[in-house]
Amino acid sequence: MQYAKKSSVVDSRDGSPAWGSVINGQANNNCVILPVNVIMEAQDIERRKKNWYATTKTASDLIVQIGDTRFYLHKLPMVARSGYLNRLVFQKTRNQQEGSILTIQIDNLPGGAESFQLLVKFCYGWNIELTPSNIAPLYCAAHFLELTNDLQPENLIFKAEVYLSFVLLSSWKGIFQILKSCELVSSQSKELQIVKRCSEAIAWKSSLDTKSFSSYDDHNTENLEDIAADWWFEEVSLLRIDHFIKVIEATKSKGMKPELVGSCITHWTEKWFSRSTIGLENLSPIILIQKLQRITIESLIRILPTKESSISCNFLLRLLKVGSLIKIDHGLLKEVERRIAAILVQCCVADLVVINHGESNTMYDVKIVIRVVKCFVSDFVKQTSPGLFVVAKLIDGYLTVIARDQNLSAKTFQELAEALPENARHTHDQLYRAMDMYLKAHPRLSEEERTGVCRAMNHHKLSQEALRHVMINGRLPAEFTTGLIIVEKVNMVKPMAVVVGSNYQRIKVEAIIGACKGSDKEWWISSQKEIKMIKSEVEMMKGQLNKLQKCKLEIQKQVKRCLW
């Protein structure tokens, strides 16, 4: 006879005796006596409605209930291979009424009835098919029921381990099928290191030279040199967030380049965004969705590579935008904000463009850019620095992009234009261009709003070409245009007074300036008609000045001829 001996140690899972050391001759030893070399093979294992029946020459003497499904089995083949069932059968048999069938209920078996059905077939001597899709639940169930080699050689744990190792080494697609099946047995697969082993296998294969792919069964061996470094992104993008994090951690430990790791995170996040906006709201309550999104965004921020250039500014801005909307941890938000500010000098205008969605919103998320610019000014700018001028040029270019947005308020445009200090810009030509484009796209602004839009512009930093355009620009606020015209008129009259030698123009200029300082100043500024008259007068004076310059040149030429 074969003895499967047990100690009376209690199993922490259900209070039944646990597997322990064999102590020969002790009274407290528990055992189930099995005939030597007797294997009970089932003639058939079939399903009838919800339940499964194992048909042999003897009647069933064991019922195992997994959830709502009952399995009508026999003690001998089950306890011969399962240490867990062996203990339960021994414990419950002592209290069993004579003639009754022993019933055991297992509520927390990994993989449930589907895995147990395969396990039953194995115990009855049937060949079962191990696949990447069922190996993880079956591996966990075998460990749960303790199908070890201590009971039978080449028991299910041994066979599952051999197959699992084979798939991890030989099949790229098989690894992802295993990870997908781990979702059904999440906690057990992590405890048994299945997820970790799959993640390490992905990291190892993704970091290999593409020339080595010829040894794998699911890669085409042609045109291997054309395979890009990101060839593995697509499969990884389908992973669940917890499995994806394990893969990224494994790739980092393998020494993969931060830029490639960052690109993989970006690719996964973009795929996740598209999945979360298509149908997810219809599958789960809104509270669960928000919690999942919050956990996902926070997890992504934590695994970002530390190297600044490894993640694009545009991706970080979108991450900051989503994080702000779903109210993730404030410290993580500040971390992303500072990270964007640190690389702002390396960005182009396209990097700052973050699209808004919804009819009531602006076309672009300008407030998120304002937030980053203010962080840059407060944390990274010390007085005048070359980086400040680079960022100012960047922001002026961004202002020209957002200027045509019909829903962009004058206050928001002004806030971004004024976010940088006054000394940030060498020239205001690009800023003027953006302001003019905004005023043209928003013709119904009040005088106060137009004045606010132009407040950041200094006409002293405009080029001559820009100044000529300002002089004939009717979209600018009267206050700005009038002040510029006065200065321009004074500057033009001074050389004329020197050439002609007349006091008339000086008196006229003084009268104009005096009028501006007098009590009629407010009326004169607000009068658009008067402004147009002044503009035409300035143009006339420009013509007169040009004529005088030509006369001066002619006189100089005649003098030279006379001297010769």
Side-chain angles (χ1 to χ4, degrees):
M1 304 293 284
Q2 178 180 347
Y3 294 84
K5 298 184 178 180
K6 307 286 183 266
S7 71
S8 59
V9 179
V10 176
D11 189 335
S12 60
R13 289 176 291 190
D14 57 7
S16 61
W19 182 265
S21 60
V22 176
I23 309 175
N24 294 325
Q26 296 295 325
N28 65 339
N29 279 0
N30 302 324
C31 64
V32 175
I33 303 176
L34 306 174
V36 178
N37 299 327
V38 174
I39 298 177
M40 181 179 289
E41 292 188 0
Q43 299 170 357
D44 190 18
I45 299 176
E46 61 177 346
R47 184 172 186 174
R48 303 172 193 169
K49 295 183 179 179
K50 286 186 177 181
N51 302 324
W52 288 84
Y53 296 83
T55 305
T56 66
K57 295 179 181 180
T58 61
S60 173
D61 59 358
L62 175 65
I63 298 174
V64 178
Q65 183 163 344
I66 310 293
D68 296 332
T69 304
R70 283 192 165 199
F71 292 82
Y72 291 83
L73 310 171
H74 302 81
K75 295 177 183 176
L76 180 59
M78 300 307 296
V79 300
R81 289 190 177 272
S82 171
Y84 179 73
L85 289 176
N86 200 318
R87 292 196 306 276
L88 288 180
V89 168
F90 180 82
Q91 181 189 41
K92 293 180 180 296
T93 300
R94 290 179 300 178
N95 303 322
Q96 181 184 358
Q97 296 180 0
E98 187 175 351
S100 63
I101 299 177
L102 179 63
T103 300
I104 295 175
Q105 183 170 342
I106 304 175
D107 295 324
N108 54 346
L109 179 70
E114 185 175 352
S115 293
F116 191 71
Q117 174 253 330
L118 291 173
L119 191 142
V120 166
K121 290 181 179 179
F122 177 81
C123 290
Y124 276 92
W126 286 32
N127 291 326
I128 61 173
E129 183 182 6
L130 299 179
T131 67
S133 299
N134 69 20
I135 187 62
L138 197 59
Y139 187 86
C140 295
H143 274 272
F144 184 94
L145 296 176
E146 301 171 15
L147 274 73
T148 65
N149 286 354
D150 294 336
L151 291 173
Q152 291 285 345
E154 296 189 3
N155 211 340
L156 187 55
I157 290 179
F158 171 79
K159 290 182 178 294
E161 175 63 37
V162 171
Y163 180 80
L164 179 62
S165 300
F166 169 76
V167 174
L168 293 178
L169 286 173
S170 63
S171 176
W172 172 254
K173 292 182 180 179
I175 298 174
F176 293 93
Q177 290 175 318
I178 293 173
L179 279 175
K180 184 65 178 177
S181 68
C182 284
E183 295 178 6
L184 303 174
V185 286
S186 182
S187 59
Q188 296 91 345
S189 62
K190 290 178 181 177
E191 290 174 6
L192 295 173
Q193 304 292 310
I194 300 176
V195 173
K196 181 181 179 182
R197 290 169 65 182
C198 289
S199 302
E200 290 176 347
I202 293 172
W204 175 65
K205 293 191 176 188
S206 62
S207 61
L208 288 177
D209 191 334
T210 53
K211 293 179 181 179
S212 63
F213 290 155
S214 57
S215 61
Y216 298 143
D217 58 354
D218 43 16
H219 283 285
N220 190 348
T221 58
E222 298 179 0
N223 301 322
L224 291 174
E225 294 181 357
D226 297 333
I227 298 177
D230 61 355
W231 62 269
W232 51 284
F233 284 10
E234 194 60 33
E235 288 90 347
V236 171
S237 67
L238 301 177
L239 295 177
R240 205 170 63 176
I241 180 62
D242 53 338
H243 295 166
F244 176 71
I245 290 172
K246 293 294 183 183
V247 170
I248 292 300
E249 290 174 349
T251 57
K252 288 181 178 179
S253 66
K254 292 290 182 183
M256 185 174 287
K257 293 180 180 179
E259 291 80 5
L260 194 57
V261 175
S263 297
C264 183
I265 295 173
T266 302
H267 187 81
W268 186 94
T269 308
E270 289 173 349
K271 289 283 187 178
W272 176 74
F273 278 148
S274 64
R275 290 195 300 268
S276 62
T277 55
I278 300 176
L280 183 61
E281 291 78 1
N282 300 326
L283 300 177
S284 306
I286 187 65
I287 296 177
L288 293 179
I289 294 172
Q290 291 177 347
K291 185 176 181 179
L292 175 62
Q293 291 175 337
R294 192 177 300 113
I295 293 172
T296 301
I297 294 298
E298 289 179 351
S299 300
L300 290 171
I301 294 173
R302 290 189 177 99
I303 63 172
L304 292 176
T306 55
K307 188 177 180 181
E308 289 183 354
S309 59
S310 60
I311 299 289
S312 71
C313 174
N314 187 260
F315 173 74
L316 291 173
L317 277 172
R318 286 183 289 161
L319 211 57
L320 181 62
K321 173 185 172 66
V322 176
S324 301
L325 288 174
I326 61 179
K327 298 178 181 179
I328 67 170
D329 180 72
H330 180 71
L332 291 175
L333 276 180
K334 293 298 294 182
E335 179 183 333
V336 177
E337 191 178 295
R338 282 182 55 83
R339 182 158 185 167
I340 301 170
I343 62 173
L344 211 52
V345 293
Q346 306 169 20
C347 298
C348 62
V349 173
D351 292 330
L352 302 183
V353 177
V354 178
I355 304 297
N356 267 334
H357 300 282
E359 296 180 358
S360 59
N361 294 324
T362 57
M363 184 182 300
Y364 308 104
D365 194 336
V366 181
K367 292 185 178 180
I368 208 76
V369 177
I370 294 174
R371 179 174 177 171
V372 171
V373 172
K374 289 182 176 179
C375 177
F376 171 79
V377 173
S378 62
D379 295 353
F380 295 94
V381 175
K382 295 180 179 179
Q383 298 179 352
T384 303
S385 63
L388 181 61
F389 300 128
V390 173
V391 173
K393 186 177 180 180
L394 173 69
I395 297 304
D396 290 348
Y398 178 71
L399 285 168
T400 62
V401 172
I402 66 174
R404 296 185 179 90
D405 186 356
Q406 295 293 327
N407 295 327
L408 182 62
S409 67
K411 183 179 179 181
T412 302
F413 185 94
Q414 177 185 350
E415 186 178 2
L416 179 56
E418 296 177 348
L420 293 168
E422 294 182 3
N423 62 341
R425 298 175 174 92
H426 287 300
T427 174
H428 282 202
D429 282 18
Q430 184 76 350
L431 179 62
Y432 167 62
R433 181 169 174 264
M435 290 177 174
D436 186 45
M437 290 172 65
Y438 181 81
L439 295 175
K440 186 177 181 179
H442 302 79
R444 298 183 180 180
L445 294 178
S446 65
E447 183 70 13
E448 182 181 356
E449 288 175 323
R450 288 191 293 149
T451 302
V453 167
C454 298
R455 186 162 292 142
M457 183 169 59
N458 185 348
H459 63 266
H460 293 295
K461 291 189 175 183
L462 293 174
S463 64
Q464 288 300 317
E465 182 180 358
L467 284 171
R468 285 194 292 270
H469 189 273
V470 169
M471 300 296 291
I472 59 174
N473 191 344
R475 291 183 289 270
L476 295 175
E479 179 179 344
F480 182 84
T481 307
T482 303
L484 182 60
I485 290 175
I486 292 173
V487 173
E488 184 71 11
K489 200 167 184 180
V490 170
N491 292 336
M492 291 177 60
V493 168
K494 284 183 178 179
M496 290 180 62
V498 173
V499 174
V500 178
S502 172
N503 290 328
Y504 170 73
Q505 296 293 346
R506 278 199 220 91
I507 295 171
K508 188 172 182 180
V509 171
E510 291 172 1
I512 292 172
I513 295 174
C516 290
K517 293 180 179 180
S519 60
D520 294 333
K521 178 181 178 181
E522 293 181 359
W523 171 84
W524 185 72
I525 290 176
S526 63
S527 174
Q528 295 295 327
K529 184 177 180 180
E530 184 68 19
I531 290 174
K532 290 181 180 179
M533 292 174 60
I534 294 174
K535 286 182 180 179
S536 61
E537 187 175 350
V538 169
E539 292 299 321
M540 182 182 66
M541 293 176 66
K542 283 183 178 180
Q544 293 175 355
L545 180 59
N546 290 335
K547 290 180 181 179
L548 288 172
Q549 293 291 347
K550 290 180 180 179
C551 291
K552 179 181 178 181
L553 292 174
E554 287 294 327
I555 294 172
Q556 288 176 345
K557 290 179 181 178
Q558 292 178 6
V559 169
K560 288 181 180 180
R561 290 172 188 164
C562 292
L563 292 174
W564 286 100

